[in-house]
């Protein structure tokens, strides 16, 4: 691929030079750094200020700080910020109310007056993803011209097993800026999807380079662990996951379900004691009782018990 350095990058408030660090911290899951950087950005106005707040509030959303969003986002704030609050409400709503909340998002999208707002497209897509509405999420970002939108497009395409289309969008990202943090992340995601020893090693190198450059985050540590598990480096992966758990406790946020699941995988492969495995599983259930993995395990155990009674 020939990189044309002089190619003009599509304008977006998110690509404003003042927000580069904020953007990197958000996508790498470095939320404490994001909060600190956001506070340092004073005297911003217009779309740039809205973009700053969007990154900040998306960070709070990712950390599960729903009370902060309820307190800080007001009725008269820009629509894009109100959608982040709507996403927060969706996250905490009962199953019976989620469809009604999602319909509110549909109404905002269908109204059309936010069609050109790229930040809005991203936050709307994130909410659709949380609802499992892959088609609607992809529609929001598929034709996007910013690296933020292209990266989300790659992520969605990989999740629906369209590696071919994901690679097409990745090539566009590389043409714009191959060294950008989002391009690097998208390259790592695609390498993992392609599989194979060389590609997984390349993905691991990317994550470790980002870790060295920006510092450790739960997201990056979990990603490193997945690469290590794929390479059957279970002891190294367990160490990475332990660091992720410690970081979550330090940040006073819930330990990620991904951290728990991958920890259990490592413990079983390393043939650790049943008591150690049971302890991690118990913590997982307490922290995330409605996680799909936990619900599936409970369903399988219930089915097993039913079979035992049938053939007893």
């Amino acid at each position: 691929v020939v990189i044309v350095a002089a190619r003009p990058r599509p304008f977006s408030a998110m690509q404003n030079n003042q927000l580069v660090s904020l953007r990197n911290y958000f996508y790498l899951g470095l939320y404490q750094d994001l909060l600190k950087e956001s506070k340092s950005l004073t005297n911003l106005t217009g779309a740039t200020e809205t973009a700053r707040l969007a990154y900040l509030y998306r960070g709070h959303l990712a950390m599960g700080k729903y009370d902060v969003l309820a307190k800080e986002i007001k009725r008269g704030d820009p629509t894009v910020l109100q959608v982040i609050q709507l996403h927060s409400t969706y996250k905490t709503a009962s199953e019976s109310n989620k469809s009604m909340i999602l319909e509110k998002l549909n109404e905002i999208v269908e109204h059309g007056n936010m069609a050109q707002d790229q930040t809005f497209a991203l936050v709307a897509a994130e909410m659709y993803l949380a609802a499992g509405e892959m088609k609607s999420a992809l529609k929001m970002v598929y034709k996007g011209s910013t690296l933020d939108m292209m990266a989300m497009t790659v992520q969605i395409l990989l999740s629906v097993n369209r590696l071919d289309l994901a690679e097409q969008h990745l090539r566009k990202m590389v043409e714009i800026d191959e060294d950008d943090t989002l391009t690097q992340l998208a390259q790592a995601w695609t390498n993992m999807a392609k599989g194979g020893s060389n590609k997984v090693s390349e993905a691991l190198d990317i994550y470790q380079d980002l870790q060295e450059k920006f510092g450790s985050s739960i997201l990056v540590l979990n990603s490193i662990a997945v690469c290590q598990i794929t390479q059957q480096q279970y002891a190294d992966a367990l160490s990475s996951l332990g660091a992720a758990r410690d970081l979550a406790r330090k940040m006073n946020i819930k330990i990620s379900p991904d951290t728990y699941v991958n920890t259990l995988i490592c413990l079983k492969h390393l043939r650790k004691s049943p008591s150690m495995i049971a302890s991690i599983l118990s913590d997982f259930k307490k922290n995330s009782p409605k996680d799909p993995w936990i619900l599936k395990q409970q369903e399988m155990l219930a089915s097993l018990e039913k079979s035992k009674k049938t053939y007893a």
Side-chain angles (χ1 to χ4, degrees), residues 166-269:
E167 288 188 297
Q168 290 179 20
H169 280 77
L170 175 59
R171 284 194 288 272
K172 293 177 184 177
M173 295 180 71
V174 170
E175 289 174 6
I176 294 172
D177 188 347
E178 66 177 335
D179 295 323
D180 186 88
T181 297
L182 274 177
T183 305
Q184 291 295 301
L185 285 171
Q187 183 69 70
W189 303 335
T190 304
N191 285 345
M192 289 301 293
K194 293 174 79 170
S197 178
N198 289 339
K199 290 299 179 183
V200 173
S201 292
E202 289 175 14
L204 180 58
D205 287 343
I206 290 171
Y207 288 127
Q208 289 177 331
D209 285 346
L210 290 170
Q211 181 186 38
E212 183 176 348
K213 182 176 180 180
F214 294 100
S216 292
S217 71
I218 295 168
L219 177 65
V220 171
L221 287 166
N222 279 333
S223 299
I224 287 173
V226 169
C227 295
Q228 291 167 331
I229 288 171
T230 304
Q231 294 177 322
Q232 299 183 358
Q233 298 172 0
Y234 301 114
D236 290 339
L238 192 60
S239 177
S240 299
L241 295 163
R245 290 199 306 277
D246 291 343
L247 189 53
R249 294 189 185 102
K250 182 179 179 181
M251 293 171 64
N252 195 29
I253 62 175
K254 284 187 175 181
I255 295 173
S256 164
D258 291 341
T259 304
Y260 278 120
V261 172
N262 289 325
T263 297
L264 290 168
I265 290 171
C266 290
L267 291 175
K268 289 186 177 182
H269 277 286

Side-chain angles (χ1 to χ4, degrees), residues 58-123:
R58 288 160 79 193
H60 283 304
L61 182 65
M63 289 188 289
K65 303 292 186 180
Y66 309 128
D67 56 332
V68 174
L69 299 178
K71 180 180 178 181
E72 294 195 8
I73 300 177
K74 311 299 182 183
R75 186 180 296 273
D77 283 343
T79 301
V80 63
L81 303 183
Q82 294 191 48
V83 171
I84 297 172
Q85 170 56 26
L86 191 66
H87 189 171
S88 174
T89 303
Y90 178 88
K91 285 279 193 179
T92 57
S94 63
E95 290 300 321
S96 59
N97 288 331
K98 284 189 173 182
S99 59
M100 180 178 65
I101 296 170
L102 194 61
E103 185 55 38
K104 290 183 181 179
L105 176 62
N106 291 336
E107 290 173 5
I108 297 171
V109 171
E110 290 167 5
H111 192 272
N113 63 332
M114 299 296 294
Q116 301 304 313
D117 190 315
Q118 295 168 336
T119 308
F120 170 78
L122 286 165
V123 299

Side-chain angles (χ1 to χ4, degrees), residues 278-291:
S279 176
I280 294 293
L281 184 56
S282 176
D283 285 345
F284 188 6
K285 289 178 180 178
K286 289 177 184 177
N287 275 273
S288 306
K290 295 184 179 180
D291 184 80

